[in-house]
Amino acid sequence: MKELETTIKNLKLKSPLMTASGTSGHGGEEIDRLQVNRKMKASLGAFVTKGITIEPREGNPEVRIVETRTGLLNSIGLQNQGVEFFVQNELPGLLNFELPIIVNISGSTAEEYARVASYLSENDTCEIISGIEINVSCPNIEKGGVAFGADPREVRRIVTSVRRNTDPRILIITKLTPNVTDITLPARAAIEAGTDALSMINTVRGMAIDVDTCRPLLGNKTGGLSGPAIKPVGVLMVYECFRNIPECYNRDIPIIGIGGVSNWRDALEYIMAGATAVGVGTAWFVNPHIFTDIRSGMRAYVKKRGVRISELIGKAHEAEGDSVNC
Ligand SMILES: Cc1cc2nc3c(=O)[nH]c(=O)nc-3n(C[C@H](O)[C@H](O)[C@H](O)COP(=O)(O)O)c2cc1C
């Protein structure tokens, strides 16, 4: 099915669809449980893992997930067993997936990010993984807990140190936070520091209060909003980067669009805004067949129009003034 093929730099994907980090664990277990392994594998272009840190992390106090009318609030707090455990116990299971593996990495200091990247670049591991996705939405412990991604200088510092410590065969993707005024500033900083691609968006900061107890519902009080409510924010941010950053417009720096994708139309919106691939997270909790459904819908759309998905990237930018016949 060549019409759905796409590429992130030199990484060929048979489908533009990816899991969004943190929503399908570190691999096999959730997918096997839902018994959608085979079909899901056929619909995905790549598997993105949940965030990994250098040391194990217990995560935030419960409650960690709250459902809202238009999406999900979460404050998981990057619970994971550390990079060593991941490489030894979880990564081998992911190989059964026979998909490119992108490992999402997090840290509390720039040095921690670099150490995870360095560990993943060792010996056999760098042959197995295709990419590292840097989650810059983590709190910067050295700077009082403000997210790294809110400050372009910090984004530059992290991406530079990850780049220095990553095997050149591994693709570096920087995942941006929407909790900024101008997304193009951290995007440019990441590009100047040597990222190969960008992904956007992570969750939008939010909170919910129980009016019966007068207390915040999340154990951590605040969290990140995902799901349908944030899709217009994500589409806008992809659009702005594609439009204003020449490296994105020229496709030298591909964008992975993420946020609120719940059906094939949503996925196409991201592609027309300028995304080369699309990540799906929260919708998978609702519909275990989401990837198959989106792939079928996109396939029918491109077949009907006799185009390849890659020809639709950034299509909305041609529509200045008039609607175009696509
Ligand atoms: C439960 C949960 C855990 C997440 N964990 C991570 C993570 O570890 N690293 C990361 O970069 N993003 C993480 N995210 C953000 C998602 O990858 C994605 O950017 C966001 O949820 C928006 O996409 P969606 O609306 O399709 O879920 C998490 C999201 C959720 C809902």
mmCIF file of all heavy atoms in Angstrom, residues 19-23 49-52 64-65 72-76 78 104-106 133-137 175-176 200-204 224-228 230-231 258-262 279-285, ligand 1:
data_model
loop_
_atom_site.group_PDB
_atom_site.id
_atom_site.type_symbol
_atom_site.label_atom_id
_atom_site.label_comp_id
_atom_site.label_asym_id
_atom_site.label_seq_id
_atom_site.Cartn_x
_atom_site.Cartn_y
_atom_site.Cartn_z
ATOM 1 N N THR A 19 1.880 5.334 17.583
ATOM 2 C CA THR A 19 1.303 5.478 18.919
ATOM 3 C C THR A 19 1.846 6.785 19.497
ATOM 4 O O THR A 19 2.960 7.194 19.173
ATOM 5 C CB THR A 19 1.735 4.302 19.812
ATOM 6 O OG1 THR A 19 3.176 4.192 19.781
ATOM 7 C CG2 THR A 19 1.137 2.996 19.352
ATOM 8 N N ALA A 20 1.061 7.451 20.348
ATOM 9 C CA ALA A 20 1.580 8.645 21.048
ATOM 10 C C ALA A 20 2.174 8.151 22.363
ATOM 11 O O ALA A 20 1.580 7.310 23.052
ATOM 12 C CB ALA A 20 0.455 9.639 21.307
ATOM 13 N N SER A 21 3.331 8.678 22.699
ATOM 14 C CA SER A 21 4.045 8.192 23.885
ATOM 15 C C SER A 21 3.167 8.176 25.135
ATOM 16 O O SER A 21 2.401 9.105 25.389
ATOM 17 C CB SER A 21 5.256 9.087 24.138
ATOM 18 O OG SER A 21 5.855 8.733 25.355
ATOM 19 N N GLY A 22 3.328 7.119 25.907
ATOM 20 C CA GLY A 22 2.668 7.036 27.209
ATOM 21 C C GLY A 22 1.294 6.429 27.166
ATOM 22 O O GLY A 22 0.716 6.127 28.206
ATOM 23 N N THR A 23 0.787 6.186 25.975
ATOM 24 C CA THR A 23 -0.580 5.681 25.880
ATOM 25 C C THR A 23 -0.643 4.205 25.486
ATOM 26 O O THR A 23 -1.722 3.629 25.436
ATOM 27 C CB THR A 23 -1.414 6.531 24.896
ATOM 28 O OG1 THR A 23 -0.750 6.538 23.638
ATOM 29 C CG2 THR A 23 -1.569 7.952 25.396
ATOM 30 N N THR A 49 7.378 4.495 22.467
ATOM 31 C CA THR A 49 7.232 3.966 23.834
ATOM 32 C C THR A 49 6.797 5.061 24.808
ATOM 33 O O THR A 49 6.901 6.246 24.518
ATOM 34 C CB THR A 49 8.561 3.412 24.371
ATOM 35 O OG1 THR A 49 9.445 4.523 24.623
ATOM 36 C CG2 THR A 49 9.206 2.437 23.421
ATOM 37 N N LYS A 50 6.407 4.621 25.982
ATOM 38 C CA LYS A 50 6.173 5.524 27.108
ATOM 39 C C LYS A 50 7.522 6.120 27.512
ATOM 40 O O LYS A 50 8.561 5.554 27.227
ATOM 41 C CB LYS A 50 5.580 4.678 28.235
ATOM 42 C CG LYS A 50 5.280 5.406 29.498
ATOM 43 C CD LYS A 50 4.483 4.493 30.406
ATOM 44 C CE LYS A 50 4.456 4.980 31.851
ATOM 45 N NZ LYS A 50 4.464 6.414 32.035
ATOM 46 N N GLY A 51 7.506 7.262 28.187
ATOM 47 C CA GLY A 51 8.749 7.942 28.553
ATOM 48 C C GLY A 51 9.649 7.119 29.468
ATOM 49 O O GLY A 51 9.178 6.489 30.415
ATOM 50 N N ILE A 52 10.957 7.135 29.168
ATOM 51 C CA ILE A 52 11.960 6.399 29.956
ATOM 52 C C ILE A 52 12.884 7.422 30.598
ATOM 53 O O ILE A 52 13.277 8.403 29.945
ATOM 54 C CB ILE A 52 12.847 5.522 29.031
ATOM 55 C CG1 ILE A 52 12.039 4.704 28.039
ATOM 56 C CG2 ILE A 52 13.804 4.660 29.828
ATOM 57 C CD1 ILE A 52 11.330 3.547 28.617
ATOM 58 N N ARG A 64 -4.354 9.742 39.212
ATOM 59 C CA ARG A 64 -3.468 10.167 38.130
ATOM 60 C C ARG A 64 -4.189 10.448 36.820
ATOM 61 O O ARG A 64 -3.613 11.024 35.906
ATOM 62 C CB ARG A 64 -2.435 9.071 37.856
ATOM 63 C CG ARG A 64 -1.473 8.870 38.990
ATOM 64 C CD ARG A 64 -0.635 7.670 38.675
ATOM 65 N NE ARG A 64 0.444 7.515 39.603
ATOM 66 C CZ ARG A 64 1.399 6.610 39.457
ATOM 67 N NH1 ARG A 64 1.380 5.808 38.423
ATOM 68 N NH2 ARG A 64 2.357 6.518 40.340
ATOM 69 N N ILE A 65 -5.411 9.950 36.709
ATOM 70 C CA ILE A 65 -6.169 10.174 35.467
ATOM 71 C C ILE A 65 -7.595 10.583 35.820
ATOM 72 O O ILE A 65 -8.242 9.952 36.661
ATOM 73 C CB ILE A 65 -6.194 8.907 34.590
ATOM 74 C CG1 ILE A 65 -4.794 8.648 34.048
ATOM 75 C CG2 ILE A 65 -7.203 9.051 33.455
ATOM 76 C CD1 ILE A 65 -4.720 7.844 32.791
ATOM 77 N N LEU A 72 -8.971 13.877 28.462
ATOM 78 C CA LEU A 72 -8.437 13.213 29.642
ATOM 79 C C LEU A 72 -7.422 14.126 30.309
ATOM 80 O O LEU A 72 -6.608 14.760 29.624
ATOM 81 C CB LEU A 72 -7.697 11.967 29.131
ATOM 82 C CG LEU A 72 -7.616 10.738 29.993
ATOM 83 C CD1 LEU A 72 -9.025 10.229 30.306
ATOM 84 C CD2 LEU A 72 -6.843 9.672 29.224
ATOM 85 N N LEU A 73 -7.485 14.201 31.648
ATOM 86 C CA LEU A 73 -6.435 14.927 32.380
ATOM 87 C C LEU A 73 -5.542 13.866 32.993
ATOM 88 O O LEU A 73 -6.052 12.941 33.637
ATOM 89 C CB LEU A 73 -7.047 15.724 33.517
ATOM 90 C CG LEU A 73 -7.450 17.164 33.275
ATOM 91 C CD1 LEU A 73 -8.125 17.702 34.534
ATOM 92 C CD2 LEU A 73 -6.268 18.036 32.894
ATOM 93 N N ASN A 74 -4.223 13.974 32.801
ATOM 94 C CA ASN A 74 -3.353 12.988 33.454
ATOM 95 C C ASN A 74 -2.194 13.658 34.140
ATOM 96 O O ASN A 74 -1.735 14.725 33.738
ATOM 97 C CB ASN A 74 -2.898 11.916 32.455
ATOM 98 C CG ASN A 74 -1.564 12.247 31.800
ATOM 99 O OD1 ASN A 74 -0.497 12.055 32.377
ATOM 100 N ND2 ASN A 74 -1.639 12.782 30.585
ATOM 101 N N SER A 75 -1.750 13.021 35.217
ATOM 102 C CA SER A 75 -0.498 13.433 35.855
ATOM 103 C C SER A 75 0.185 12.156 36.335
ATOM 104 O O SER A 75 0.267 11.873 37.514
ATOM 105 C CB SER A 75 -0.741 14.400 37.012
ATOM 106 O OG SER A 75 -1.285 13.726 38.102
ATOM 107 N N ILE A 76 0.636 11.373 35.355
ATOM 108 C CA ILE A 76 1.265 10.079 35.656
ATOM 109 C C ILE A 76 2.610 10.311 36.371
ATOM 110 O O ILE A 76 2.986 9.569 37.265
ATOM 111 C CB ILE A 76 1.500 9.258 34.354
ATOM 112 C CG1 ILE A 76 0.200 9.103 33.550
ATOM 113 C CG2 ILE A 76 2.124 7.903 34.670
ATOM 114 C CD1 ILE A 76 -0.883 8.279 34.175
ATOM 115 N N LEU A 78 5.608 10.278 34.872
ATOM 116 C CA LEU A 78 6.685 9.520 34.222
ATOM 117 C C LEU A 78 7.079 8.247 34.971
ATOM 118 O O LEU A 78 8.260 7.932 35.094
ATOM 119 C CB LEU A 78 7.925 10.419 34.029
ATOM 120 C CG LEU A 78 7.686 11.635 33.162
ATOM 121 C CD1 LEU A 78 8.880 12.568 33.226
ATOM 122 C CD2 LEU A 78 7.424 11.220 31.719
ATOM 123 N N ASN A 104 10.770 7.248 23.766
ATOM 124 C CA ASN A 104 10.531 8.578 24.330
ATOM 125 C C ASN A 104 11.365 8.716 25.603
ATOM 126 O O ASN A 104 11.342 7.848 26.465
ATOM 127 C CB ASN A 104 9.029 8.699 24.632
ATOM 128 C CG ASN A 104 8.632 10.053 25.157
ATOM 129 O OD1 ASN A 104 8.781 10.346 26.336
ATOM 130 N ND2 ASN A 104 8.095 10.893 24.289
ATOM 131 N N ILE A 105 12.141 9.803 25.701
ATOM 132 C CA ILE A 105 13.014 9.954 26.872
ATOM 133 C C ILE A 105 12.706 11.237 27.640
ATOM 134 O O ILE A 105 12.293 12.246 27.062
ATOM 135 C CB ILE A 105 14.515 9.892 26.507
ATOM 136 C CG1 ILE A 105 14.969 11.118 25.709
ATOM 137 C CG2 ILE A 105 14.835 8.614 25.744
ATOM 138 C CD1 ILE A 105 16.485 11.242 25.612
ATOM 139 N N SER A 106 12.925 11.167 28.967
ATOM 140 C CA SER A 106 12.630 12.295 29.844
ATOM 141 C C SER A 106 13.744 12.435 30.869
ATOM 142 O O SER A 106 14.545 11.520 31.055
ATOM 143 C CB SER A 106 11.332 12.045 30.610
ATOM 144 O OG SER A 106 10.249 12.034 29.716
ATOM 145 N N GLU A 133 12.707 10.079 20.985
ATOM 146 C CA GLU A 133 11.841 11.263 21.026
ATOM 147 C C GLU A 133 12.100 11.962 22.373
ATOM 148 O O GLU A 133 11.882 11.374 23.435
ATOM 149 C CB GLU A 133 10.374 10.867 20.909
ATOM 150 C CG GLU A 133 9.446 12.091 20.876
ATOM 151 C CD GLU A 133 7.977 11.690 20.746
ATOM 152 O OE1 GLU A 133 7.487 10.892 21.573
ATOM 153 O OE2 GLU A 133 7.317 12.192 19.818
ATOM 154 N N ILE A 134 12.574 13.200 22.313
ATOM 155 C CA ILE A 134 12.916 13.936 23.546
ATOM 156 C C ILE A 134 11.669 14.656 24.039
ATOM 157 O O ILE A 134 11.154 15.549 23.363
ATOM 158 C CB ILE A 134 14.013 14.985 23.288
ATOM 159 C CG1 ILE A 134 15.207 14.389 22.532
ATOM 160 C CG2 ILE A 134 14.452 15.618 24.587
ATOM 161 C CD1 ILE A 134 16.217 15.453 22.075
ATOM 162 N N ASN A 135 11.215 14.269 25.233
ATOM 163 C CA ASN A 135 10.047 14.938 25.828
ATOM 164 C C ASN A 135 10.543 16.133 26.635
ATOM 165 O O ASN A 135 11.045 15.972 27.741
ATOM 166 C CB ASN A 135 9.307 13.931 26.717
ATOM 167 C CG ASN A 135 8.173 14.579 27.494
ATOM 168 O OD1 ASN A 135 7.803 15.719 27.239
ATOM 169 N ND2 ASN A 135 7.625 13.839 28.449
ATOM 170 N N VAL A 136 10.402 17.337 26.082
ATOM 171 C CA VAL A 136 10.908 18.524 26.798
ATOM 172 C C VAL A 136 9.845 19.132 27.714
ATOM 173 O O VAL A 136 10.029 20.221 28.250
ATOM 174 C CB VAL A 136 11.465 19.612 25.831
ATOM 175 C CG1 VAL A 136 12.701 19.129 25.108
ATOM 176 C CG2 VAL A 136 10.414 20.098 24.857
ATOM 177 N N SER A 137 8.739 18.411 27.915
ATOM 178 C CA SER A 137 7.689 18.942 28.800
ATOM 179 C C SER A 137 7.965 18.652 30.279
ATOM 180 O O SER A 137 7.159 18.991 31.138
ATOM 181 C CB SER A 137 6.339 18.334 28.436
ATOM 182 O OG SER A 137 5.992 18.697 27.129
ATOM 183 N N LYS A 175 10.000 16.572 21.000
ATOM 184 C CA LYS A 175 8.549 16.693 21.195
ATOM 185 C C LYS A 175 8.243 17.954 21.987
ATOM 186 O O LYS A 175 8.638 18.092 23.150
ATOM 187 C CB LYS A 175 8.015 15.463 21.932
ATOM 188 C CG LYS A 175 6.517 15.531 22.135
ATOM 189 C CD LYS A 175 5.980 14.218 22.596
ATOM 190 C CE LYS A 175 4.486 14.242 22.767
ATOM 191 N NZ LYS A 175 3.992 12.977 23.291
ATOM 192 N N LEU A 176 7.534 18.857 21.357
ATOM 193 C CA LEU A 176 7.327 20.183 21.941
ATOM 194 C C LEU A 176 6.064 20.263 22.793
ATOM 195 O O LEU A 176 5.090 19.551 22.561
ATOM 196 C CB LEU A 176 7.252 21.224 20.823
ATOM 197 C CG LEU A 176 8.505 21.305 19.941
ATOM 198 C CD1 LEU A 176 8.295 22.324 18.821
ATOM 199 C CD2 LEU A 176 9.736 21.677 20.766
ATOM 200 N N MET A 200 4.682 17.345 17.845
ATOM 201 C CA MET A 200 3.879 18.286 18.631
ATOM 202 C C MET A 200 2.423 17.895 18.471
ATOM 203 O O MET A 200 2.037 17.444 17.383
ATOM 204 C CB MET A 200 4.118 19.727 18.177
ATOM 205 C CG MET A 200 3.716 20.011 16.739
ATOM 206 S SD MET A 200 4.320 21.565 16.102
ATOM 207 C CE MET A 200 6.060 21.267 15.841
ATOM 208 N N ILE A 201 1.617 17.941 19.548
ATOM 209 C CA ILE A 201 1.902 18.578 20.816
ATOM 210 C C ILE A 201 1.830 17.558 21.952
ATOM 211 O O ILE A 201 1.195 16.509 21.825
ATOM 212 C CB ILE A 201 0.891 19.723 21.089
ATOM 213 C CG1 ILE A 201 -0.539 19.206 21.051
ATOM 214 C CG2 ILE A 201 1.106 20.872 20.184
ATOM 215 C CD1 ILE A 201 -1.617 20.217 21.389
ATOM 216 N N ASN A 202 2.468 17.925 23.055
ATOM 217 C CA ASN A 202 2.264 17.196 24.292
ATOM 218 C C ASN A 202 0.953 17.716 24.898
ATOM 219 O O ASN A 202 0.225 18.487 24.262
ATOM 220 C CB ASN A 202 3.454 17.410 25.224
ATOM 221 C CG ASN A 202 3.699 16.192 26.086
ATOM 222 O OD1 ASN A 202 2.770 15.673 26.701
ATOM 223 N ND2 ASN A 202 4.930 15.726 26.129
ATOM 224 N N THR A 203 0.645 17.347 26.113
ATOM 225 C CA THR A 203 -0.644 17.745 26.696
ATOM 226 C C THR A 203 -0.678 19.237 27.062
ATOM 227 O O THR A 203 0.365 19.855 27.289
ATOM 228 C CB THR A 203 -0.924 16.913 27.962
ATOM 229 O OG1 THR A 203 0.203 17.015 28.831
ATOM 230 C CG2 THR A 203 -1.162 15.463 27.627
ATOM 231 N N VAL A 204 -1.879 19.766 27.131
ATOM 232 C CA VAL A 204 -2.099 21.177 27.501
ATOM 233 C C VAL A 204 -2.363 21.223 29.016
ATOM 234 O O VAL A 204 -3.182 20.442 29.524
ATOM 235 C CB VAL A 204 -3.329 21.731 26.734
ATOM 236 C CG1 VAL A 204 -3.647 23.157 27.159
ATOM 237 C CG2 VAL A 204 -3.091 21.651 25.233
ATOM 238 N N GLY A 224 -2.108 17.277 32.617
ATOM 239 C CA GLY A 224 -2.077 17.625 31.200
ATOM 240 C C GLY A 224 -3.332 17.110 30.520
ATOM 241 O O GLY A 224 -3.736 15.961 30.725
ATOM 242 N N LEU A 225 -3.933 17.959 29.709
ATOM 243 C CA LEU A 225 -5.161 17.594 28.999
ATOM 244 C C LEU A 225 -4.821 17.011 27.632
ATOM 245 O O LEU A 225 -3.987 17.565 26.902
ATOM 246 C CB LEU A 225 -6.041 18.846 28.837
ATOM 247 C CG LEU A 225 -7.401 18.644 28.176
ATOM 248 C CD1 LEU A 225 -8.323 17.776 29.042
ATOM 249 C CD2 LEU A 225 -8.074 20.006 27.913
ATOM 250 N N SER A 226 -5.461 15.905 27.296
ATOM 251 C CA SER A 226 -5.294 15.286 25.969
ATOM 252 C C SER A 226 -6.675 14.979 25.420
ATOM 253 O O SER A 226 -7.676 15.174 26.107
ATOM 254 C CB SER A 226 -4.465 14.001 26.103
ATOM 255 O OG SER A 226 -5.139 13.085 26.958
ATOM 256 N N GLY A 227 -6.733 14.479 24.189
ATOM 257 C CA GLY A 227 -8.019 14.104 23.606
ATOM 258 C C GLY A 227 -8.622 15.206 22.753
ATOM 259 O O GLY A 227 -7.986 16.229 22.475
ATOM 260 N N PRO A 228 -9.888 15.003 22.323
ATOM 261 C CA PRO A 228 -10.504 15.861 21.306
ATOM 262 C C PRO A 228 -10.376 17.368 21.564
ATOM 263 O O PRO A 228 -10.212 18.148 20.628
ATOM 264 C CB PRO A 228 -11.979 15.439 21.344
ATOM 265 C CG PRO A 228 -11.955 14.039 21.828
ATOM 266 C CD PRO A 228 -10.777 13.912 22.753
ATOM 267 N N ILE A 230 -8.022 19.177 22.513
ATOM 268 C CA ILE A 230 -6.755 19.847 22.175
ATOM 269 C C ILE A 230 -6.409 19.766 20.684
ATOM 270 O O ILE A 230 -5.408 20.311 20.255
ATOM 271 C CB ILE A 230 -5.576 19.319 23.026
ATOM 272 C CG1 ILE A 230 -5.162 17.888 22.634
ATOM 273 C CG2 ILE A 230 -5.913 19.382 24.517
ATOM 274 C CD1 ILE A 230 -3.812 17.461 23.226
ATOM 275 N N LYS A 231 -7.260 19.107 19.896
ATOM 276 C CA LYS A 231 -6.890 18.953 18.477
ATOM 277 C C LYS A 231 -6.707 20.283 17.745
ATOM 278 O O LYS A 231 -5.707 20.472 17.051
ATOM 279 C CB LYS A 231 -7.908 18.075 17.741
ATOM 280 C CG LYS A 231 -7.386 17.625 16.387
ATOM 281 C CD LYS A 231 -8.465 17.170 15.449
ATOM 282 C CE LYS A 231 -9.340 18.319 15.059
ATOM 283 N NZ LYS A 231 -10.489 17.952 14.239
ATOM 284 N N ILE A 258 0.465 15.487 16.685
ATOM 285 C CA ILE A 258 -0.171 14.700 17.760
ATOM 286 C C ILE A 258 -1.144 15.603 18.513
ATOM 287 O O ILE A 258 -0.865 16.793 18.691
ATOM 288 C CB ILE A 258 0.871 14.192 18.795
ATOM 289 C CG1 ILE A 258 2.095 13.572 18.115
ATOM 290 C CG2 ILE A 258 0.250 13.213 19.784
ATOM 291 C CD1 ILE A 258 3.278 13.371 19.065
ATOM 292 N N GLY A 259 -2.232 15.026 18.996
ATOM 293 C CA GLY A 259 -3.144 15.774 19.865
ATOM 294 C C GLY A 259 -4.584 15.658 19.421
ATOM 295 O O GLY A 259 -4.995 16.291 18.444
ATOM 296 N N GLY A 260 -5.330 14.816 20.116
ATOM 297 C CA GLY A 260 -6.775 14.759 19.894
ATOM 298 C C GLY A 260 -7.227 14.048 18.643
ATOM 299 O O GLY A 260 -8.400 14.158 18.263
ATOM 300 N N VAL A 261 -6.354 13.304 17.994
ATOM 301 C CA VAL A 261 -6.784 12.610 16.769
ATOM 302 C C VAL A 261 -7.710 11.456 17.162
ATOM 303 O O VAL A 261 -7.332 10.577 17.930
ATOM 304 C CB VAL A 261 -5.568 12.082 15.969
ATOM 305 C CG1 VAL A 261 -6.025 11.220 14.798
ATOM 306 C CG2 VAL A 261 -4.713 13.237 15.485
ATOM 307 N N SER A 262 -8.935 11.490 16.638
ATOM 308 C CA SER A 262 -9.922 10.463 16.992
ATOM 309 C C SER A 262 -10.489 9.739 15.782
ATOM 310 O O SER A 262 -11.271 8.796 15.937
ATOM 311 C CB SER A 262 -11.099 11.093 17.738
ATOM 312 O OG SER A 262 -10.648 11.879 18.796
ATOM 313 N N GLY A 279 0.519 11.023 15.418
ATOM 314 C CA GLY A 279 0.481 10.192 16.626
ATOM 315 C C GLY A 279 -0.923 10.161 17.215
ATOM 316 O O GLY A 279 -1.624 11.173 17.208
ATOM 317 N N VAL A 280 -1.307 8.987 17.704
ATOM 318 C CA VAL A 280 -2.648 8.841 18.288
ATOM 319 C C VAL A 280 -2.500 8.258 19.700
ATOM 320 O O VAL A 280 -1.856 7.227 19.885
ATOM 321 C CB VAL A 280 -3.533 7.889 17.439
ATOM 322 C CG1 VAL A 280 -4.939 7.786 18.023
ATOM 323 C CG2 VAL A 280 -3.588 8.374 15.991
ATOM 324 N N GLY A 281 -3.111 8.924 20.688
ATOM 325 C CA GLY A 281 -2.986 8.474 22.070
ATOM 326 C C GLY A 281 -4.317 8.194 22.721
ATOM 327 O O GLY A 281 -4.837 7.076 22.690
ATOM 328 N N THR A 282 -4.937 9.236 23.262
ATOM 329 C CA THR A 282 -6.149 9.094 24.068
ATOM 330 C C THR A 282 -7.262 8.322 23.347
ATOM 331 O O THR A 282 -7.968 7.524 23.969
ATOM 332 C CB THR A 282 -6.638 10.495 24.489
ATOM 333 O OG1 THR A 282 -5.570 11.109 25.221
ATOM 334 C CG2 THR A 282 -7.863 10.431 25.360
ATOM 335 N N ALA A 283 -7.400 8.528 22.047
ATOM 336 C CA ALA A 283 -8.485 7.861 21.304
ATOM 337 C C ALA A 283 -8.350 6.345 21.367
ATOM 338 O O ALA A 283 -9.343 5.614 21.251
ATOM 339 C CB ALA A 283 -8.487 8.324 19.850
ATOM 340 N N TRP A 284 -7.127 5.867 21.567
ATOM 341 C CA TRP A 284 -6.899 4.426 21.625
ATOM 342 C C TRP A 284 -7.514 3.816 22.886
ATOM 343 O O TRP A 284 -7.873 2.645 22.916
ATOM 344 C CB TRP A 284 -5.391 4.143 21.562
ATOM 345 C CG TRP A 284 -5.068 2.723 21.276
ATOM 346 C CD1 TRP A 284 -5.492 2.001 20.192
ATOM 347 C CD2 TRP A 284 -4.298 1.834 22.079
ATOM 348 N NE1 TRP A 284 -5.013 0.718 20.277
ATOM 349 C CE2 TRP A 284 -4.272 0.594 21.416
ATOM 350 C CE3 TRP A 284 -3.609 1.975 23.272
ATOM 351 C CZ2 TRP A 284 -3.597 -0.508 21.915
ATOM 352 C CZ3 TRP A 284 -2.925 0.874 23.767
ATOM 353 C CH2 TRP A 284 -2.927 -0.350 23.101
ATOM 354 N N PHE A 285 -7.633 4.658 23.956
ATOM 355 C CA PHE A 285 -8.276 4.172 25.182
ATOM 356 C C PHE A 285 -9.773 3.944 24.955
ATOM 357 O O PHE A 285 -10.416 3.182 25.655
ATOM 358 C CB PHE A 285 -8.126 5.194 26.325
ATOM 359 C CG PHE A 285 -6.701 5.431 26.765
ATOM 360 C CD1 PHE A 285 -6.279 6.681 27.175
ATOM 361 C CD2 PHE A 285 -5.788 4.395 26.791
ATOM 362 C CE1 PHE A 285 -4.979 6.900 27.586
ATOM 363 C CE2 PHE A 285 -4.474 4.598 27.208
ATOM 364 C CZ PHE A 285 -4.076 5.855 27.607
HETATM 365 C C1 LIG B 1 -1.715 8.714 30.126
HETATM 366 C C2 LIG B 1 -0.785 9.525 29.270
HETATM 367 C C3 LIG B 1 0.595 9.378 29.429
HETATM 368 C C4 LIG B 1 1.486 10.130 28.641
HETATM 369 N N1 LIG B 1 2.838 9.949 28.784
HETATM 370 C C5 LIG B 1 3.696 10.629 27.978
HETATM 371 C C6 LIG B 1 5.107 10.390 28.064
HETATM 372 O O1 LIG B 1 5.585 9.539 28.835
HETATM 373 N N2 LIG B 1 5.927 11.132 27.252
HETATM 374 C C7 LIG B 1 5.423 12.056 26.350
HETATM 375 O O2 LIG B 1 6.203 12.687 25.635
HETATM 376 N N3 LIG B 1 4.085 12.265 26.240
HETATM 377 C C8 LIG B 1 3.231 11.584 27.026
HETATM 378 N N4 LIG B 1 1.875 11.779 26.896
HETATM 379 C C9 LIG B 1 1.365 12.733 25.889
HETATM 380 C C10 LIG B 1 0.909 12.004 24.614
HETATM 381 O O3 LIG B 1 1.965 11.326 23.992
HETATM 382 C C11 LIG B 1 0.298 13.000 23.604
HETATM 383 O O4 LIG B 1 1.262 13.953 23.247
HETATM 384 C C12 LIG B 1 -0.935 13.707 24.156
HETATM 385 O O5 LIG B 1 -1.710 12.822 24.945
HETATM 386 C C13 LIG B 1 -1.812 14.269 23.049
HETATM 387 O O6 LIG B 1 -2.249 13.261 22.177
HETATM 388 P P1 LIG B 1 -3.715 12.550 22.309
HETATM 389 O O7 LIG B 1 -4.715 13.652 22.446
HETATM 390 O O8 LIG B 1 -3.860 11.740 21.063
HETATM 391 O O9 LIG B 1 -3.647 11.696 23.538
HETATM 392 C C14 LIG B 1 0.972 11.056 27.685
HETATM 393 C C15 LIG B 1 -0.426 11.186 27.537
HETATM 394 C C16 LIG B 1 -1.300 10.440 28.308
HETATM 395 C C17 LIG B 1 -2.780 10.594 28.096
#
